[in-house]
Amino acid sequence: MIYGSLDKLGHVFQTDVLILGGGMAGLWAALKASKYTKNVMIVDKGPFKRGGQGSMCGGDMVVWDPEDDIENWVKELTYYFEGLVEQDVLECLMKRSLQCMREYEEMGHKFALDENGKLRRVYQRGLKHIGSVLSRPFGTGGKSLIQHLVAELEKTDVRLLPGIQITDMLMKDGRFAGLAGFHTRSAEFYVIKAKSLIIATGNSSWKASYGTNTCTGETFGMALRAGVKLRNFEFLKVWNVPAKFCWEGQTMLLPLGARFSNAEGEDFMSRYSPTLGAKLDPHFNTRAMVEEYRAGRAPLFFDVSKMPEENIRLLTPTVGWMKINYERLCKMGLDLFKDKVEWMPQVDYAIGGIDTDIHGQTCVPGVFAAGRARNLESGLYLGGWAVSGTATTGSIAGENAGQYAASLDYQYEPDYGEVAELKAKRLAPLGTEGIPYKEVLNEFRKIIAPYDVTILKTETGLRRALKRFEEIRDELLPNVGAPTPHFLTKRTELYGIADTTDLYLHASLLRKESRGSHYREDYPDKDPASLGWYVASWKDNGIVWDFRPVPLEKYKYHLTSYYSENFIPLSKQGK
């Protein structure tokens, strides 16, 4: 219910469960939390019903096959993620994935079936067990999933507060009390009191192309300073993308016959991985791309000419934004399904996120995390993994946060004097001229873009990036202008990007080995002593790091081989 209208603090609301982020994970969390309390609210800086990044995805989903032993899935995922996982969490999520997929079907969403009426699965990254089921119609899967979630949500009492840039978690004696922020168009201040919080804001990015330009990590810095722990920030998603446009679907195209070729027309990934070729995780494809560039065999191309015709028909967009994209490109003389198209590596987003237990609970009582905001993996990415993860972790966090809030008969009250100080501080830059935010954003991008900072990391590259980062943070960032509320939002996002950059560079320096999507050219091998998480927390106005080993003593599978062994670096080819 509304606690108050407009007072000296601004708009003040009160609810039981507060969900930060209105994407797939947030919508699932709201649906499940509403089973335990009628007082559930979603707050999002975007518009209502947009559905975050999920509306732009293909909608394919990793779902456990109940005809297969769940142990096969846990073992193969542990191998794929190179041991840096909680095996009990993987088993929980894969079992839940089947339940969530069936709930999607009950909502009315369609998944592709084969000629026998069974779910059509595309097995991922050369794995034997892990497969994604395909959404239908191709090209609007994500939009359809969002529409069905929103339709279900409209049957409940869940309320949405759109267009609010959250800046602070409000705490009382180490307990969560609420959130504070401002409206992205009016700059009116908002305070939302709640008994429990679910952070479902997605990952953090440097506003690359495609659909990752809205998640900028401001939530992570905010949560860190409130006592929440973070982990796995040394891992990035570095994707292969067309040099001139964006495209969704390579994770399905590669297993079905697409390939990469170099300037000499060679299917070069068959040299780097004779067994899997371009079906490897894209992080190995991008490593090979850099090697080919350095060897003088660029430009590089994406080639679907060897794909069977039925697979081309299966993955040619027929509706939605992907169809519009495809038709426009064809008019420009660029047909992905007929021509070799130049592709390149691109930093997509940071993998790191919030450290939780199996229930989505953080170390701060009453604060949970879901979706890409909750860290699950070591950077390597399965097609359909995000759609699966948003549903499973969203539903788990929603259930647990709902039960937690329902068990409390009181509300922790924030210190309103401190809230007034926060309001003054957060709104102080409004109306100021200064450095345009895009100029500073581009400086952050220039730090991250070099291959020796992201793909083939070196101490030299990371130290160079860190030195430049500190200059930008200290000299440019405080002088970014905010002439309107819109640009105050962008300024807030820049501070989130700064936190992400800081976390990424320091974590990458700490991990002196290669594992998952983190490859150190100066430390190319795995170090058994480094099998664990570098966990960030906030102490004495700064980030401190701890190392937490993977508890192998409680897990069944101990690796003797790793997924990365499918990749042969250029230096070892022919030996």
Side-chain angles (χ1 to χ4, degrees), residues 375-387:
N375 179 265
L376 292 175
E377 73 274 356
S378 56
L380 302 184
Y381 181 79
L382 296 159
W385 183 251
V387 172

Side-chain angles (χ1 to χ4, degrees), residues 26-73:
L27 295 173
W28 270 101
L31 281 172
K32 297 301 182 179
S34 68
K35 305 294 184 182
Y36 300 93
T37 173
K38 292 185 177 180
N39 294 319
V40 178
M41 176 181 281
I42 300 174
V43 59
D44 195 297
K45 66 181 178 183
F48 183 38
K49 299 183 181 180
R50 178 177 60 86
Q53 296 179 93
S55 60
M56 296 287 286
C57 76
D60 307 318
M61 181 177 181
V62 172
V63 178
W64 171 52
D65 183 353
E67 296 182 2
D68 195 357
D69 193 327
I70 191 68
E71 290 192 358
N72 291 332
W73 282 62

Side-chain angles (χ1 to χ4, degrees), residues 15 130 175 255 411 441 485 512:
T15 188
I130 312 302
R175 298 275 183 168
Q411 163 75 54
L441 173 61
K512 291 180 168 60

Side-chain angles (χ1 to χ4, degrees), residues 236-240 282-291 293 344-347 448-458 462 504 514 516-521:
L236 295 179
K237 179 185 173 189
V238 183
W239 217 233
N240 303 303
H283 294 90
F284 298 100
N285 293 339
T286 54
R287 276 179 59 187
M289 282 181 157
V290 173
E291 298 260 30
Y293 273 103
M344 66 179 188
Q346 182 189 68
V347 176
I448 295 298
Y451 72 82
D452 61 352
V453 179
T454 54
I455 301 174
L456 307 180
K457 304 179 193 181
T458 66
L462 292 167
Y504 169 71
S514 294
S517 69
H518 169 82
Y519 182 78
R520 287 285 298 264
E521 195 167 33

Side-chain angles (χ1 to χ4, degrees), residues 244-247 304 312 315-318 321-339 341:
K244 295 184 178 180
F245 57 90
C246 65
W247 190 263
V304 300
I312 291 177
L315 295 179
T316 299
T318 57
W321 73 271
M322 290 177 65
K323 179 174 184 288
I324 295 172
N325 234 15
Y326 179 58
E327 290 176 343
R328 287 176 176 172
L329 292 168
C330 288
K331 289 179 181 179
M332 295 167 58
L334 292 170
D335 190 335
L336 181 70
F337 293 96
K338 294 180 180 179
D339 307 314
V341 178

